[in-house]
Amino acid sequence: MDLSSTVDSLMDGLTADLVRLASIPSIAFPGHPRSEVVRAHDLLVELLRDAGVGHVESLDLPDTAPVIYAEVPPPDPGAPTVLLYGHYDVQPPGDESLWLSPPFEPTPVEGGLRARGIADDKSNVIAHLGVLRAYGGRPPTGLKIVLEGQEEYGSAFDDHPPTDPERFACDAMVIADMGNLRPGTPTFTTGLRGVAEVVVEVRTLAEARHSGGFGGAAPDALLALVRALAGLHDEHGDVAVAGLRRDEWGGVSYTEQEFRELAGVADGMPLIGSGGLGERLWSGPAITVIGLDAPAVDGAASAVVPYARAKLNLRVHPRQDPRQATDALVRHLREHRSYGIELTVTPIDAGPGFEAAVEGPAYRAARIALREGWGSEPQFAASGGSIPLVNGLAKAAPRAEVLLFGAQDSMCNLHAPNERVLFSELRGAVIAEAAFLREYATAFRAAAGPR
């Protein structure tokens, strides 16, 4: 099969279905209509059946949008089974005045389309459908297709796969909730940082007191908190908490100019931290103050602040236990008392990172496949974000190789205004995934030997 020609003949239909899917505001956050999530679910069930999938069902878990589960049996007993994952829910659009077109009206842009969720993750869901169509519903491997409906908000599904390991058993899995570091550069995401959150509180006075009469001696809760937060980083902006793992990053990374543009860093504004960007973003820790409770500037009284609170987001090395890392952060904050003032430090939640083993037969097959999809040698990158479900799936199928690649790219504005996907990335992802199934099936049979 000439996969390139086959996929090219499918692109118009895939694009039309992507427009249909991206037109549905399938936001699974509280306050948004569940009916739209169900509408996206029903469209995908229809598209899967039209693509030749005979077994399609929905998994209904508590307080969770329905998870689509579909199976295509292996063509013969010697063929492997591959699990394909994606999600059909999307982030809220945010401030719609920042969008150049309505977020749920897919709009042409140069080389692609703009809409909320069109890259994250509806393009990857459509890529799975493209693979099914390329093989006429009869791929060279068995397939288990898992399309989640509440990934962005979080759900009970993250922890579900290990409770039903037979359903999720497979030889390899393609987690299509990622994409290339830059358009046209085939990229495996091989690491995901772990994540934890901590709340820090300071209470020093029964109530506010006049700063003229008491300031200078009365302990200022906000001042104590700010000083404690400042001690989390050194003079370079590197995390100064002992016990948090940081390694050199050996894969590909952004150039500084690319990162500045992606992050929207103002001209002349320095980046914080030292070492390579890969270390700072992927193989080292990051601590971000994501919330602060303190008197607002407008209307502030001339008073010593009696109470202040902050919420911290901690990202940790893919192989570090996030609870161990949380303990290190809690210990640091409790030991470094500003002016001798005790802090109340409360861990809220923690999720593990993930690091893929990349030397197995599935990765060898996938290197060939990504080269076929994009025409150049694949690179290895990581993500500072977390996908908790990856660990759940890996526990359910501990011997399966886990591959993360797809139709997104890091410049697609996911979770931001004016999200877009490029047709070239969608095309490359369909070719690469279809080629992976072909190459992996061949290698799997060869490894098994004659029967």
Coordinates of all heavy atoms in Angstrom, one line a residue, residues 380-440:
F380 N 13.5 13.3 20.0 CA 13.0 12.9 21.3 C 12.9 14.2 22.1 O 13.8 15.0 22.2 CB 13.9 11.9 22.0 CG 13.9 10.6 21.3 CD1 14.8 10.3 20.3 CD2 13.0 9.6 21.7 CE1 14.8 9.1 19.7 CE2 13.0 8.4 21.1 CZ 13.9 8.1 20.1
A381 N 11.6 14.5 22.6 CA 11.4 15.6 23.5 C 10.6 15.2 24.7 O 10.4 14.0 24.9 CB 10.6 16.7 22.7
A382 N 10.3 16.1 25.5 CA 9.5 15.8 26.7 C 8.4 16.9 26.9 O 8.4 17.8 26.1 CB 10.4 15.7 27.9
S383 N 7.7 16.7 27.9 CA 6.6 17.7 28.2 C 6.7 18.1 29.7 O 6.8 17.2 30.5 CB 5.2 17.1 27.9 OG 4.2 18.0 28.3
G384 N 6.5 19.4 30.0 CA 6.4 19.8 31.4 C 5.1 19.5 31.9 O 4.9 19.6 33.1
G385 N 4.1 19.3 31.1 CA 2.7 18.9 31.5 C 2.6 17.5 32.0 O 3.6 16.7 31.9
S386 N 1.5 17.1 32.5 CA 1.2 15.8 33.0 C 0.0 15.2 32.3 O -1.0 15.9 32.0 CB 1.0 15.8 34.5 OG 2.1 16.4 35.1
I387 N 0.0 13.9 32.1 CA -1.1 13.1 31.6 C -1.3 11.9 32.6 O -0.7 10.9 32.4 CB -1.0 12.6 30.2 CG1 -0.5 13.7 29.2 CG2 -2.3 12.0 29.7 CD1 -0.3 13.3 27.8
P388 N -2.1 12.1 33.7 CA -2.1 11.1 34.7 C -2.6 9.7 34.1 O -2.2 8.7 34.6 CB -3.2 11.6 35.7 CG -3.1 13.1 35.5 CD -2.8 13.3 34.0
L389 N -3.5 9.7 33.1 CA -4.0 8.5 32.6 C -2.9 7.6 32.0 O -3.0 6.3 32.0 CB -5.0 8.7 31.5 CG -5.6 7.5 30.8 CD1 -6.4 6.7 31.7 CD2 -6.4 7.9 29.6
V390 N -1.8 8.2 31.5 CA -0.7 7.4 31.0 C -0.2 6.3 32.0 O 0.0 5.2 31.7 CB 0.5 8.2 30.5 CG1 1.7 7.4 30.1 CG2 0.0 9.1 29.3
N391 N -0.1 6.8 33.2 CA 0.4 5.8 34.3 C -0.6 4.8 34.6 O -0.3 3.6 34.8 CB 0.7 6.6 35.6 CG 1.9 7.5 35.4 OD1 3.0 7.0 35.5 ND2 1.7 8.8 35.1
G392 N -1.9 5.1 34.5 CA -3.0 4.2 34.7 C -3.0 3.1 33.6 O -3.1 1.9 33.9
L393 N -2.8 3.5 32.4 CA -2.7 2.6 31.3 C -1.5 1.7 31.4 O -1.5 0.5 31.1 CB -2.8 3.3 29.9 CG -4.1 3.9 29.6 CD1 -3.9 4.8 28.3 CD2 -5.2 2.9 29.3
A394 N -0.4 2.3 31.7 CA 0.9 1.6 31.9 C 0.8 0.5 33.0 O 1.4 -0.6 32.9 CB 2.0 2.5 32.1
K395 N 0.1 0.8 34.0 CA -0.1 -0.2 35.1 C -1.0 -1.3 34.7 O -0.8 -2.5 35.0 CB -0.7 0.5 36.4 CG 0.3 1.4 37.1 CD -0.4 2.1 38.3 CE 0.5 3.0 39.0 NZ -0.2 3.7 40.1
A396 N -2.0 -1.0 33.8 CA -2.9 -2.0 33.3 C -2.2 -2.9 32.3 O -2.5 -4.1 32.3 CB -4.1 -1.4 32.7
A397 N -1.3 -2.4 31.6 CA -0.5 -3.2 30.6 C 1.0 -2.9 30.8 O 1.6 -2.2 30.0 CB -1.0 -2.8 29.2
P398 N 1.6 -3.5 31.8 CA 2.9 -3.1 32.2 C 4.0 -3.5 31.2 O 5.1 -2.9 31.2 CB 3.1 -3.8 33.6 CG 2.1 -4.9 33.6 CD 1.0 -4.4 32.8
R399 N 3.7 -4.4 30.3 CA 4.7 -4.9 29.4 C 4.6 -4.1 28.0 O 5.4 -4.3 27.1 CB 4.6 -6.4 29.1 CG 5.0 -7.2 30.3 CD 5.0 -8.7 30.0 NE 5.3 -9.5 31.2 CZ 5.3 -10.8 31.2 NH1 5.1 -11.5 30.1 NH2 5.7 -11.4 32.3
A400 N 3.6 -3.3 27.9 CA 3.3 -2.6 26.6 C 4.2 -1.4 26.5 O 4.5 -0.7 27.5 CB 1.9 -2.2 26.5
E401 N 4.8 -1.2 25.3 CA 5.5 0.0 25.1 C 4.5 1.2 24.9 O 3.5 1.0 24.2 CB 6.4 -0.1 23.8 CG 7.5 -1.1 24.0 CD 8.4 -1.2 22.8 OE1 9.1 -0.3 22.5 OE2 8.3 -2.3 22.1
V402 N 4.9 2.3 25.4 CA 4.0 3.5 25.3 C 4.7 4.6 24.4 O 5.8 5.0 24.7 CB 3.8 4.1 26.8 CG1 2.9 5.3 26.7 CG2 3.2 3.0 27.7
L403 N 4.0 4.9 23.4 CA 4.4 5.9 22.4 C 3.5 7.1 22.5 O 2.3 7.0 22.4 CB 4.5 5.4 21.0 CG 5.3 4.1 20.8 CD1 4.5 2.9 20.8 CD2 6.1 4.2 19.5
L404 N 4.1 8.3 22.6 CA 3.3 9.5 22.6 C 3.7 10.4 21.4 O 4.9 10.9 21.3 CB 3.6 10.3 23.9 CG 3.1 9.7 25.2 CD1 4.1 8.9 25.8 CD2 2.6 10.8 26.1
F405 N 2.9 10.5 20.4 CA 3.1 11.4 19.2 C 1.7 11.7 18.6 O 0.7 11.1 19.0 CB 4.0 10.7 18.2 CG 3.5 9.5 17.5 CD1 2.8 9.6 16.3 CD2 3.7 8.2 18.0 CE1 2.3 8.5 15.7 CE2 3.2 7.1 17.4 CZ 2.5 7.2 16.2
G406 N 1.7 12.6 17.7 CA 0.4 13.0 17.2 C 0.4 14.2 16.3 O 1.5 14.6 15.8
A407 N -0.8 14.8 16.0 CA -1.0 15.8 15.0 C -0.8 17.2 15.6 O -0.9 18.2 14.8 CB -2.4 15.7 14.4
Q408 N -0.7 17.4 16.9 CA -0.5 18.7 17.5 C 0.9 19.1 17.2 O 1.8 18.4 16.7 CB -0.7 18.7 19.0 CG -2.0 18.2 19.5 CD -2.0 18.0 21.0 OE1 -1.1 18.5 21.7 NE2 -3.0 17.3 21.5
D409 N 1.2 20.4 17.4 CA 2.6 20.8 17.5 C 2.7 21.9 18.6 O 1.7 22.5 19.0 CB 3.1 21.4 16.1 CG 2.4 22.6 15.7 OD1 2.8 23.7 16.2 OD2 1.4 22.6 15.0
S410 N 3.9 22.1 19.1 CA 4.0 23.0 20.3 C 3.7 24.5 20.0 O 3.6 25.3 20.9 CB 5.4 22.9 20.8 OG 6.3 23.4 19.9
M411 N 3.4 24.8 18.7 CA 3.1 26.2 18.4 C 1.6 26.3 18.0 O 1.2 27.3 17.4 CB 4.0 26.6 17.2 CG 5.5 26.5 17.6 SD 6.6 26.9 16.2 CE 8.2 26.5 17.0
C412 N 0.8 25.4 18.4 CA -0.6 25.4 17.9 C -1.5 26.1 18.9 O -2.7 26.2 18.6 CB -1.1 23.9 17.8 SG -1.2 23.0 19.4
N413 N -1.0 26.7 19.9 CA -1.8 27.5 20.9 C -2.8 26.7 21.6 O -3.9 27.2 21.9 CB -2.5 28.7 20.2 CG -1.6 29.8 19.9 OD1 -0.5 29.9 20.3 ND2 -2.1 30.8 19.1
L414 N -2.5 25.4 22.0 CA -3.5 24.7 22.8 C -3.7 25.3 24.1 O -2.7 25.9 24.7 CB -3.0 23.2 22.9 CG -1.9 22.9 23.9 CD1 -1.9 21.3 24.1 CD2 -0.5 23.3 23.4
H415 N -4.9 25.3 24.6 CA -5.3 25.9 25.9 C -5.2 27.5 25.8 O -5.4 28.1 26.8 CB -4.5 25.4 27.1 CG -4.7 24.0 27.4 ND1 -4.5 23.5 28.7 CD2 -5.0 22.9 26.6 CE1 -4.8 22.2 28.7 NE2 -5.0 21.8 27.4
A416 N -5.0 28.0 24.6 CA -4.9 29.5 24.5 C -5.8 30.0 23.4 O -6.4 29.2 22.7 CB -3.4 29.8 24.2
P417 N -6.0 31.3 23.3 CA -6.8 31.8 22.2 C -6.2 31.4 20.8 O -5.0 31.3 20.7 CB -6.8 33.3 22.4 CG -6.4 33.5 23.8 CD -5.5 32.4 24.2
N418 N -7.1 31.2 19.8 CA -6.7 31.0 18.5 C -5.9 29.7 18.2 O -5.0 29.7 17.5 CB -5.9 32.2 17.9 CG -6.7 33.5 18.0 OD1 -7.9 33.6 17.6 ND2 -6.2 34.5 18.7
E419 N -6.3 28.7 18.9 CA -5.8 27.4 18.7 C -6.0 26.9 17.3 O -7.0 27.2 16.7 CB -6.5 26.4 19.7 CG -6.0 24.9 19.6 CD -6.7 24.0 20.5 OE1 -7.4 24.5 21.4 OE2 -6.6 22.8 20.4
R420 N -4.9 26.3 16.7 CA -5.0 25.9 15.3 C -4.3 24.5 15.1 O -3.5 24.1 15.9 CB -4.4 27.0 14.4 CG -2.9 27.2 14.6 CD -2.1 26.5 13.5 NE -0.7 26.6 13.7 CZ 0.1 25.7 14.2 NH1 -0.4 24.6 14.7 NH2 1.4 25.9 14.3
V421 N -4.7 23.9 14.0 CA -4.0 22.7 13.6 C -3.6 22.9 12.1 O -4.3 23.5 11.4 CB -4.9 21.4 13.8 CG1 -6.0 21.4 12.8 CG2 -4.0 20.1 13.7
L422 N -2.5 22.3 11.8 CA -2.0 22.3 10.4 C -2.4 21.0 9.6 O -2.2 19.9 10.2 CB -0.5 22.5 10.3 CG 0.0 23.8 10.9 CD1 1.5 23.9 10.9 CD2 -0.6 25.1 10.2
F423 N -2.8 21.2 8.4 CA -3.2 20.0 7.6 C -2.0 19.1 7.5 O -2.1 17.9 7.4 CB -3.7 20.4 6.3 CG -5.0 21.2 6.3 CD1 -5.2 22.3 5.6 CD2 -6.1 20.8 7.1 CE1 -6.3 23.1 5.6 CE2 -7.2 21.5 7.2 CZ -7.4 22.6 6.4
S424 N -0.8 19.7 7.3 CA 0.4 18.9 7.2 C 0.7 18.0 8.4 O 1.2 16.9 8.2 CB 1.6 19.8 6.9 OG 1.8 20.7 8.0
E425 N 0.4 18.5 9.6 CA 0.6 17.7 10.8 C -0.4 16.6 10.9 O -0.1 15.5 11.3 CB 0.6 18.6 12.0 CG 1.6 19.7 12.0 CD 3.0 19.1 11.9 OE1 3.5 18.5 12.8 OE2 3.6 19.3 10.8
L426 N -1.7 16.9 10.5 CA -2.7 15.8 10.5 C -2.3 14.7 9.5 O -2.4 13.5 9.8 CB -4.1 16.4 10.2 CG -5.2 15.4 10.1 CD1 -5.5 14.7 11.4 CD2 -6.5 16.2 9.7
R427 N -2.0 15.1 8.3 CA -1.6 14.2 7.3 C -0.4 13.3 7.8 O -0.4 12.1 7.7 CB -1.2 14.9 6.0 CG -0.6 14.0 4.9 CD -0.2 14.8 3.7 NE 0.3 14.0 2.6 CZ 1.5 13.6 2.5 NH1 2.5 13.9 3.4 NH2 1.9 12.8 1.5
G428 N 0.6 14.0 8.3 CA 1.8 13.2 8.8 C 1.5 12.3 9.9 O 2.0 11.1 10.0
A429 N 0.5 12.7 10.8 CA 0.2 11.8 11.9 C -0.6 10.6 11.4 O -0.3 9.5 11.9 CB -0.7 12.6 12.9
V430 N -1.5 10.7 10.4 CA -2.2 9.6 9.9 C -1.2 8.6 9.2 O -1.3 7.4 9.5 CB -3.3 10.0 8.9 CG1 -4.0 8.8 8.3 CG2 -4.3 10.9 9.6
I431 N -0.3 9.1 8.4 CA 0.6 8.3 7.7 C 1.5 7.6 8.7 O 1.7 6.3 8.6 CB 1.5 9.1 6.7 CG1 0.6 9.6 5.6 CG2 2.6 8.2 6.2 CD1 1.4 10.6 4.7
A432 N 2.0 8.3 9.7 CA 2.9 7.7 10.7 C 2.3 6.6 11.5 O 2.8 5.6 11.7 CB 3.5 8.8 11.6
E433 N 1.0 6.9 11.9 CA 0.3 5.9 12.8 C 0.0 4.6 11.9 O 0.2 3.5 12.4 CB -0.9 6.5 13.4 CG -1.6 5.6 14.4 CD -2.7 6.2 15.1 OE1 -2.5 7.3 15.7 OE2 -3.9 5.7 15.0
A434 N -0.4 4.8 10.7 CA -0.7 3.7 9.8 C 0.5 2.9 9.5 O 0.6 1.7 9.5 CB -1.4 4.2 8.5
A435 N 1.6 3.6 9.3 CA 2.9 3.0 9.0 C 3.4 2.2 10.2 O 4.0 1.1 10.1 CB 3.9 4.0 8.5
F436 N 3.2 2.8 11.4 CA 3.6 2.1 12.6 C 2.9 0.7 12.8 O 3.5 -0.3 13.1 CB 3.3 3.0 13.8 CG 3.4 2.2 15.1 CD1 4.6 1.7 15.6 CD2 2.2 1.9 15.9 CE1 4.7 1.0 16.7 CE2 2.3 1.2 17.1 CZ 3.6 0.7 17.5
L437 N 1.6 0.7 12.5 CA 0.9 -0.6 12.6 C 1.4 -1.6 11.6 O 1.6 -2.8 12.0 CB -0.6 -0.4 12.3 CG -1.4 0.6 13.3 CD1 -2.9 0.5 12.9 CD2 -1.2 0.2 14.7
R438 N 1.8 -1.2 10.4 CA 2.4 -2.1 9.4 C 3.7 -2.6 9.9 O 4.0 -3.8 9.9 CB 2.5 -1.3 8.1 CG 3.1 -2.1 7.0 CD 3.5 -1.2 5.9 NE 4.7 -0.4 6.3 CZ 4.9 0.9 5.9 NH1 4.1 1.5 5.0 NH2 6.0 1.5 6.3
E439 N 4.6 -1.6 10.3 CA 6.0 -2.0 10.7 C 6.0 -2.9 11.9 O 6.7 -3.8 12.1 CB 6.8 -0.8 10.9 CG 7.1 0.1 9.6 CD 7.9 -0.7 8.6 OE1 8.8 -1.4 9.1 OE2 7.7 -0.5 7.4
Y440 N 5.1 -2.5 12.9 CA 5.1 -3.2 14.2 C 4.5 -4.6 14.0 O 5.1 -5.6 14.5 CB 4.2 -2.5 15.2 CG 4.3 -3.1 16.6 CD1 5.5 -3.4 17.2 CD2 3.1 -3.3 17.3 CE1 5.5 -3.9 18.5 CE2 3.1 -3.8 18.6 CZ 4.3 -4.1 19.1 OH 4.3 -4.7 20.4

